[in-house]
């Protein structure tokens, strides 16, 4: 069984036995600790095998896999999570703008509000990334119906005399 499958099975079992709230409380605590360390040392690339990283961050291999699952989209070269073993050498070359954007997207305020971000981005840069994230979520309708165009309901009437009243 792959470590990734082991991680997902552990999450399911954890939620069944202890509840989803308990899982997120424990996982967010571990994740915050790891991110605090990684962001504090953002000029250095975090490396090691999966088991070494678990020891370094004082957690289990399963939770390291969960962390890697969460950060994978923010890496310069995403990993094949299914192929990772405990002895796989890991290198976290992180695109920090993408990471911050993805944290906003995940609504992980406990992560994007970490004080370690101050050493990476200015307040203005973070606001710029937040604006970019908000704009990516905004739906824009390019197909505006003019008042004199045929109504979109198919009645054959002008929009202003039908649905546009």
């Amino acid at each position: 069984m792959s470590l990734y499958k082991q991680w997902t099975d552990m999450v399911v079992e954890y939620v069944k036995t202890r509840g989803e709230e308990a899982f997120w409380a424990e996982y967010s605590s571990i994740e915050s600790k790891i991110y605090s360390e990684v962001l504090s040392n953002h000029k250095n690339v975090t490396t090691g095998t999966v088991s070494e990283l678990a020891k370094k961050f004082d957690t289990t291999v399963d939770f390291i896999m969960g962390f890697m699952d969460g950060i994978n989209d923010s890496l310069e070269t995403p990993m094949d999570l299914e192929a990772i073993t405990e002895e796989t050498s890991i290198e976290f070359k992180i695109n920090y703008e993408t990471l911050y954007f993805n944290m906003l997207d995940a609504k992980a305020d406990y992560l994007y509000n970490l004080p370690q971000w101050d050493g990476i981005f200015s307040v203005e840069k973070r606001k710029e990334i937040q604006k970019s994230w908000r704009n990516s979520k905004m739906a824009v309708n390019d197909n505006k119906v003019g008042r004199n165009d045929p109504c979109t309901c198919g009645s054959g009437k002008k929009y202003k005399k039908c649905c546009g009243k």
Side-chain angles (χ1 to χ4, degrees), residues 118-129:
D118 294 340
I120 300 172
F121 296 130
S122 65
V123 174
E124 293 80 21
K125 180 65 176 175
R126 283 181 278 173
K127 285 182 181 177
E128 180 185 314
I129 296 169

Side-chain angles (χ1 to χ4, degrees), residues 138-154:
M138 197 176 301
V140 178
N141 185 2
D142 291 335
N143 301 330
K144 293 191 179 193
V145 179
R147 21 181 287 115
N148 289 316
D149 291 340
C151 189
T152 56
C153 74

Side-chain angles (χ1 to χ4, degrees), residues 65-83:
M65 278 306 299
F67 174 78
M68 290 190 310
D69 187 18
I71 200 172
N72 201 32
D73 291 339
S74 303
L75 297 176
E76 291 176 9
T77 306
M79 300 176 274
D80 177 8
L81 297 176
E82 291 287 343

Side-chain angles (χ1 to χ4, degrees), residues 1 12 37 41-42 52 66 70 72 79 82-83 85 96 100 103 109 122 127 135 146 148 162-163:
M1 175 187 318
V12 170
E37 173 100 13
N41 298 312
H42 69 277
E52 289 171 350
N72 201 32
M79 300 176 274
E82 291 287 343
T85 67
Y96 288 99
Y100 193 81
M103 287 177 175
D109 58 331
S122 65
K127 285 182 181 177
N135 288 340
N148 289 316
C162 189
C163 295

Side-chain angles (χ1 to χ4, degrees), residues 86-141:
E86 286 190 42
E87 298 310 313
T88 303
S89 187
I90 304 297
E91 192 172 62
F92 292 132
K93 288 186 179 176
I94 303 167
N95 179 328
Y96 288 99
E97 283 189 39
T98 304
L99 178 62
Y100 193 81
F101 186 96
N102 289 341
M103 287 177 175
L104 291 166
D105 201 35
K107 297 176 179 61
D109 58 331
Y110 65 97
L111 295 176
Y112 65 76
N113 286 327
L114 287 170
Q116 287 80 3
W117 282 108
D118 294 340
I120 300 172
F121 296 130
S122 65
V123 174
E124 293 80 21
K125 180 65 176 175
R126 283 181 278 173
K127 285 182 181 177
E128 180 185 314
I129 296 169
Q130 288 171 344
K131 184 177 180 183
S132 170
W133 173 75
R134 276 193 301 278
N135 288 340
S136 76
K137 299 298 168 198
M138 197 176 301
V140 178
N141 185 2

